[in-house]
Amino acid sequence: MQMTCVDDFVIDHVHGTTRSLTPAEIMATLMADHGMTRRTARVCLTRCVENNHLSYRQQLGRTVVVPSLNRYHPLAPGVVLAPPHLPLPTDGTCCITMKEGISFGNGTHPTTRLCAGFMVEAHERGAVWQRALDLGTGTGVLSLLAVKLGCRHVDATEIDPIAMHDARENSVLNGCSQCLRIYHADDFSSVGPYEVVTANLRYPTLVALEESIHQWTVPGGDLILSGIKAGEEGRVKDAYAAHFALQGETLRQGWVGLHFQKPISR
């Protein structure tokens, strides 16, 4: 396998996981799946870090490997993520500034990018949203994108207090704190309805929330879901079929994103 292909494998492997991997775990995967020696695997991982694709981070007393935010990361067509120390793009690209926290949800995971892609696509086709709801906001990427796309009010829910703290800090960094309200999921009482609802959650939770999401979404509103592994999407589509019409479906790195719209006639 060529060096570039191996590097791409390592980068995709880190981006595609929902948990933080240690250097030893990544090297073990390279040794088992690609026949590398430990030394070669270590050189490959080091190269990915030195090229600003990945970075080391201390997390709960151990060293883990995470996607590096020390560079611009494409989130969706015309949208990038960037750390606070990098200058804003001057070519008209929409930029979301993100601090590098320790919680899951810094915007580089395939599920986040799937949702963001559907949001941008709907916006480019003429969708106009004033109010948005983001369920499972993580560090606030999709909530911030909703504001950047024109929403004047965004409600977001999360269960991880560390992620909630990071999301609030990111809202300040992006000048969105007046538009974005972040709630613990257990304390959330909808003040909707909303023109767009995003939910990046695992499929059992998505299925359980269908009736609530139906009530929260205005007729004609958009619903964008991910957190669904390939093979699970059928159950999610079946759960939402009574109240929503499927508009789009995308597969990326073993994860599925779904775009629905609530018909006006129902």
Side-chain angles (χ1 to χ4, degrees), residues 20-23 26 55-59 62-66:
S20 299
L21 301 172
T22 66
I26 294 173
S55 64
Y56 297 118
R57 182 192 297 167
Q58 284 295 310
Q59 186 177 94
R62 64 176 189 155
T63 300
V64 296
V65 181
V66 297

Side-chain angles (χ1 to χ4, degrees), residues 14-35:
V14 173
H15 278 261
T17 184
T18 56
R19 68 180 185 89
S20 299
L21 301 172
T22 66
E25 289 175 316
I26 294 173
M27 289 191 292
T29 298
L30 289 172
M31 294 164 64
D33 292 358
H34 301 290

Side-chain angles (χ1 to χ4, degrees), residues 10 15 28 55 72 75 109 125 134 144 146 156 161 182 190-191 212 222 235 238 263:
V10 174
H15 278 261
S55 64
Y72 298 103
L75 176 66
H109 194 268
R125 289 182 177 178
D134 182 23
L144 295 170
I182 301 166
S190 171
V191 292
S212 294
D222 291 285
R235 282 165 281 189
D238 288 345

Side-chain angles (χ1 to χ4, degrees), residues 115 198-199 206 213 223-228 236 240 256-260:
C115 290
T198 56
L206 293 174
I213 289 176
L223 171 63
I224 296 169
L225 307 179
S226 196
I228 307 159
V236 179
Y240 283 81
V256 175
L258 301 173
H259 177 202
F260 295 91

Side-chain angles (χ1 to χ4, degrees), residues 84-122:
H85 66 272
L86 290 182
L88 295 177
T90 59
D91 60 357
T93 298
C94 174
C95 184
I96 298 175
T97 303
M98 298 290 294
K99 70 182 287 288
E100 193 162 8
I102 66 172
S103 56
F104 173 74
N106 64 6
T108 59
H109 194 268
T111 57
T112 309
R113 296 172 71 184
L114 285 165
C115 290
F118 279 130
M119 292 174 71
V120 169
E121 181 180 326

Side-chain angles (χ1 to χ4, degrees), residues 175-225:
C176 299
S177 57
Q178 297 301 312
C179 304
L180 175 58
R181 296 180 182 178
I182 301 166
Y183 301 86
H184 192 284
D186 294 340
D187 301 326
F188 177 65
S189 179
S190 171
V191 292
Y194 305 92
E195 287 92 2
V196 60
V197 177
T198 56
N200 187 3
L201 302 165
R202 291 293 289 119
Y203 93 90
T205 305
L206 293 174
V207 171
L209 284 173
E210 190 279 334
E211 183 58 36
S212 294
I213 289 176
H214 164 52
Q215 298 297 326
W216 293 334
T217 309
V218 300
D222 291 285
L223 171 63
I224 296 169
L225 307 179

